[in-house]
Amino acid sequence: MESFPLLQQLLWISLLCSADFYVSGQNCRGREPVIDPPALVVKYGSPATATCRTEYNTTRMSWEATMGASSKENTQQLVWSVDSVTDWSLKDGILWLAIYEYEPCTTHLPITIYKIPENVDLVIHNAGPLVEEHTYWLECEVKSVAPVNNLTVIWFRGDSKLEQSDFTQFNIEGDGDQNVTVRANLSIIASREDNRASYSCAAQLDLENTTDTTSNIV
Ligand SMILES: *[C@@H]1O[C@H](CO)[C@@H](O)[C@H](O)[C@H]1NC(C)=O
Ligand SMILES: *[C@@H]1O[C@H](CO)[C@@H](O)[C@H](O)[C@H]1NC(C)=O
Ligand SMILES: *[C@@H]1O[C@H](CO)[C@@H](O)[C@H](O)[C@H]1NC(C)=O
Ligand SMILES: *[C@@H]1O[C@H](CO)[C@@H](O)[C@H](O)[C@H]1NC(C)=O
Ligand SMILES: *[C@@H]1O[C@H](CO)[C@@H](O)[C@H](O)[C@H]1NC(C)=O
């Protein structure tokens, strides 16, 4: 058992008092745990798991989360596991906490929850017979997708990419912290070739190690 000189204890207390900002591995003093994986990217409704290990004995170790919270005494590792991630508040990440001989050490596991769109629809406003030189508005609707900041709507004419839009150009319906329905539009000036051309839009989610594309054609 280690003993702590008074000065060290005082230092620790004053650190706690000023530590209202968030730092990973806070107060761990060289005993930072290893979290595997260090960040999670989870599909809404899918299982998720992470393990925290430390080479030091802890009095108590816990995962503080709205789902899958767990706690264990006298251990060096603890698993956080959820069968189906259905709580959007987990996207703020979860906290791991350990007590080493009265000293708390905390660290954070970042979590991204994503949802593949339920469907992608393309509609033409002011539709009707195509008149040359007329302006038409195409609207692409992407239903129930998250996170909106990682979504790109891509426009195609036939096989060629015309343009792309991101969240700064979307009309967003719903809570941006959860799944939302997104609309993006594109204006086209009809030309003779458009009589045979087909337009399409695709919704692409760009996440670390994952790219999903869902598309629709008119
Ligand atoms: C952890 O505790 C066990 C049992 O009390 C002890 O044998 C071991 O040496 C301890 N390990 C460390 C790194 O303190
Ligand atoms: C979010 O997803 C739920 C379940 O799929 C759905 O009922 C709801 O309409 C979606 N919200 C938006 C804004 O798309
Ligand atoms: C473009 O899209 C937005 C959002 O859907 C819509 O409110 C607006 O009317 C559209 N503009 C035109 C010209 O169609
Ligand atoms: C989502 O996009 C942002 C930048 O827009 C990026 O920093 C972040 O890593 C992306 N999220 C994931 C899980 O890839
Ligand atoms: C993405 O893949 C790299 C290399 O395979 C890996 O090191 C990293 O941890 C992965 N990121 C996530 C969030 O899974």
Side-chain angles (χ1 to χ4, degrees):
M1 174 127 174
E2 254 178 276
S3 70
F4 292 95
L6 184 61
L7 180 64
Q8 219 172 349
Q9 298 256 7
L10 286 176
L11 182 65
W12 175 63
I13 290 164
S14 69
L15 270 178
L16 257 194
C17 293
S18 62
D20 48 0
F21 52 92
Y22 201 80
V23 183
S24 205
Q26 201 171 312
N27 299 323
C28 297
R29 304 224 258 147
R31 297 177 179 188
E32 281 76 13
V34 173
I35 298 193
D36 180 27
L40 280 177
V41 179
V42 194
K43 186 172 163 182
Y44 183 84
S46 290
T49 184
T51 304
C52 196
R53 286 184 199 88
T54 160
E55 52 184 294
Y56 302 95
N57 287 334
T58 60
T59 313
R60 168 178 286 275
M61 196 185 272
S62 54
W63 279 109
E64 315 219 322
T66 51
M67 292 183 89
S70 58
S71 187
K72 207 170 165 190
E73 283 177 13
N74 302 317
T75 186
Q76 295 186 327
Q77 89 169 45
L78 187 64
V79 175
W80 176 73
S81 173
V82 168
D83 290 339
S84 171
V85 171
T86 51
D87 181 352
W88 290 101
S89 74
L90 290 173
K91 71 165 199 39
D92 296 326
I94 59 173
L95 196 68
W96 174 87
L97 175 94
I99 313 281
Y100 299 117
E101 293 153 346
Y102 311 113
E103 283 198 274
C105 155
T106 61
T107 196
H108 185 246
L109 169 67
I111 302 178
T112 300
I113 304 175
Y114 71 94
K115 190 167 184 294
I116 290 170
E118 265 158 32
N119 68 297
V120 177
D121 268 333
L122 181 54
V123 293
I124 305 182
H125 285 292
N126 57 2
L130 211 56
V131 179
E132 244 179 273
E133 305 289 305
H134 250 225
T135 301
Y136 293 87
W137 287 94
L138 304 184
E139 185 181 85
C140 188
E141 185 190 64
V142 183
K143 272 213 181 90
S144 190
V145 65
V148 68
N149 289 4
N150 297 71
L151 178 73
T152 307
V153 168
I154 305 168
W155 297 94
F156 296 91
R157 183 174 177 278
D159 289 333
S160 47
K161 183 174 157 181
L162 284 177
E163 217 174 292
Q164 64 181 51
S165 330
D166 68 13
F167 68 95
T168 60
Q169 294 145 302
F170 295 155
N171 176 293
I172 300 167
E173 182 190 310
D175 177 354
D177 285 336
Q178 306 188 355
N179 56 318
V180 294
T181 290
V182 156
R183 287 181 192 83
N185 47 25
L186 178 77
S187 72
I188 53 165
I189 297 172
S191 65
R192 194 178 298 271
E193 302 85 68
D194 277 334
N195 266 324
R196 285 209 301 273
S198 64
Y199 284 87
S200 63
C201 70
Q204 181 175 304
L205 263 183
D206 292 302
L207 301 167
E208 212 176 309
N209 305 348
T210 318
T211 296
D212 182 81
T213 310
T214 313
S215 57
N216 194 294
I217 301 178
V218 288

